[in-house]
Amino acid sequence: MGEFAQILLNAAITGSIYLLAGTGLTLTYGLLRFPNFAYAEFITFGGYIGYLLLQKPDGSLPLAVAAAFFATGLLSLFSHLLCFRPLVNRRASLIPLMVASIGLGYIIRYSIGEMWSWAALSYQPVWQAFDLGPVRVTALWLYLIGAALFTGIGLHLLLTRTKTGKAIRAIAGNPDLALVSGINRDRITFFTCFLGAGFAGVAGVFRAADTQLSPVLGWDILLPIFAVVILGGIGSFYGLIMAAFLLGLAENFGVILLQAVGLSTEYRMAIAFLVLILVLIFRPKGLAG
Amino acid sequence: MAVLEAQEVTAGYGDAVIVERISVKVEAGEIVAVVGPNGSGKSTFLKSLLGLVRRFCGRILFEGRDITAFPAWRIARAGIGYVPQVNNVFPNLSVVENLQMGAYFRQDKGGIQADCSEILEMFPELKRRSRFRAETLSGGERQLLAIGRALMGRPQVLLLDEPLAFLSPKTAALILRQLAAIKERGIGLLLVEQKTFLALEAADYGYLLSEGRCLMEGRGSALLADASLRERFLGLRKEV
């Protein structure tokens, strides 16, 4: 019983990271119609911004999360203005935009490696585990799940109750009609780029606090994040929420399964792709499609 | 002064010129029809007024003001509504949300709500389905929603791209009645239409386009009566 509850908790933790990291990817895909690979480095960048505030034992996690959100949001806004927007305005198709995002990601990753360090770093506050009912938790995990809940509910309200949120959905559904309805597409895109990458930066702080910080922090989890985004039906926020926790469950149950048959838990990444392939065979457009 | 005036507009895609030196005027409370065979450049001309295709030369005046250089979203805010022929709704938004998006740039919350209710009263077909996503609507219902969405911006002039295409005669008649009602509110209408007879019958003034040029213009009834037009473009048979 306790073990089962622990697996569910671990699934929620994995799913929360995927949700935070995948939100921006799926929202900006809806607006700009290309998968932005630089999101890997947005996650990493957030982790390093967090490190600035959490390298001492008395660092404040909420402050680090807020700083990572704003700094990563700004980084994304600059990369949109300097790199993606000029390409979009010249009517670049998916492949050039995607390759540009991979290139931009490399630039950010190597800049981080040179500026900070290529060696793995650790956040200073060590999170003590304690018993909470049948499971062992750390305060970090509770913060992480709280942040994911806040993001999920907050974005739901934004997308369904506010004019800006409805405009984000309108542009994703019919970009030309949005334009002739008087929606300033540029302004909405700026906002979405900032917001989405901000959440990715927050994911970076939590991921680094839970594991280690290195310039490949985001790159290492980019593939499962893409799996989640595709699984959810790329561009669909609600599909993303479902897929994030589904994959979290699959990975954490899969790890138990791997151990039971005597295989290395290194294979846990393969589980994500097994689930992805199975779902896509039966629902090619993803869960929400 | 005309609400909307295109002066010698030449436009197209990339380097290709599709329409050449077209001049059109729309007055308040008037229906103007641009007719012509398939591929004559009618839709391209309409899109050139909205900044959606490349313009090589010519000027576009809205209430006497030069709006040629405006981006599409500012043209909409100036008071020009547009109803595209296809992809004319936000499929992933509900009927009500579609209408709200038409009023995106308006600040008067109360007025927006009142207009939304008024349009739903005007189109009972939409009121019944106001909470449904637009992708669940029929072609005729989408056309009504597209017109409603455009009206939500309180336009001075409404541009419609083949509003009667793909519709049953019954639905086409319904749309034409609605257009007449919109005209009564003092809004100018510019419609591009392949159903030449229906369009010219409803129109106060008409233009005939062929191969990207304006061949003829005149009062709707006069164009309908023109023998050469009847012979060359209408095949003398009244289409419904």
Side-chain angles (χ1 to χ4, degrees), chain A residues 127 136 153 157 177 199 203 206 220 228 254 257:
Chain A
W127 300 88
R136 280 195 73 74
I153 296 170
L157 293 177
L177 194 65
F199 288 124
F206 281 108
D220 277 348
V228 163
L257 213 64

Side-chain angles (χ1 to χ4, degrees), chain A residues 32-245:
Chain A
L32 297 167
R33 299 275 147 197
F34 77 96
N36 187 345
F37 277 76
Y39 259 81
E41 278 64 39
F42 293 164
I43 296 167
T44 309
F45 184 74
Y48 278 86
I49 294 296
Y51 182 72
L52 294 178
L53 289 148
L54 291 174
Q55 51 190 318
K56 294 194 199 83
D58 58 347
S60 150
L61 181 71
L63 202 63
V65 162
F69 181 89
F70 282 104
T72 312
L74 284 179
L75 176 70
S76 158
L77 202 54
F78 283 127
S79 35
H80 178 67
L81 284 172
L82 297 176
C83 176
F84 303 124
R85 188 162 171 262
L87 286 169
V88 170
N89 286 348
R90 286 175 178 74
R91 301 193 177 276
S93 59
L94 181 140
I95 300 290
L97 281 162
M98 196 175 84
V99 173
S101 76
I102 296 172
L104 178 74
Y106 268 101
I107 294 172
I108 300 174
R109 192 190 318 164
Y110 281 82
S111 305
I112 288 175
E114 290 307 316
M115 272 162 33
W116 271 285
S117 140
W118 283 100
L121 302 168
S122 291
Y123 283 9
Q124 272 309 310
V126 176
W127 300 88
Q128 298 297 336
F130 57 91
D131 285 321
L132 185 76
V135 291
R136 280 195 73 74
V137 296
T138 65
L140 178 75
W141 294 347
L142 297 181
Y143 277 126
L144 167 60
I145 294 171
L149 277 176
F150 174 81
T151 306
I153 296 170
L155 271 176
H156 165 72
L157 293 177
L158 174 84
L159 291 172
T160 55
R161 302 283 167 85
T162 70
K163 207 156 93 164
T164 303
K166 287 176 192 175
I168 293 174
R169 288 162 54 218
I171 297 172
N174 193 338
D176 282 343
L177 194 65
L179 212 52
V180 297
S181 301
I183 296 173
N184 185 343
R185 234 163 47 182
D186 264 352
R187 193 185 286 181
I188 299 288
T189 306
F190 295 162
F191 174 74
T192 312
C193 283
F194 178 85
L195 192 72
F199 288 124
V202 172
V205 174
F206 281 108
R207 178 76 185 169
D210 202 27
T211 59
Q212 268 188 326
L213 180 61
S214 82
V216 291
L217 179 80
W219 186 252
D220 277 348
I221 53 167
L222 187 69
L223 285 176
I225 289 166
F226 262 110
V228 163
V229 168
I230 295 168
L231 203 57
I234 188 157
S236 157
F237 177 61
Y238 300 103
L240 176 81
I241 298 179
M242 240 191 309
F245 291 100

Side-chain angles (χ1 to χ4, degrees), chain B residues 83-85 88-89 95 123-126 128-129 134-148 160 162-176 178:
Chain B
V83 180
Q85 180 188 2
N88 52 8
V89 296
V95 166
F123 304 134
E125 297 84 351
L126 296 181
R128 277 198 299 275
R129 324 206 50 171
E135 64 194 350
T136 65
L137 302 181
S138 71
E141 288 165 342
R142 285 181 192 209
Q143 193 62 252
L144 289 176
L145 179 57
I147 294 171
L160 301 106
E162 307 222 13
L164 308 178
F166 315 124
L167 297 183
S168 67
K170 195 178 145 208
T171 319
L174 168 73
I175 299 277
L176 281 171
Q178 295 296 354

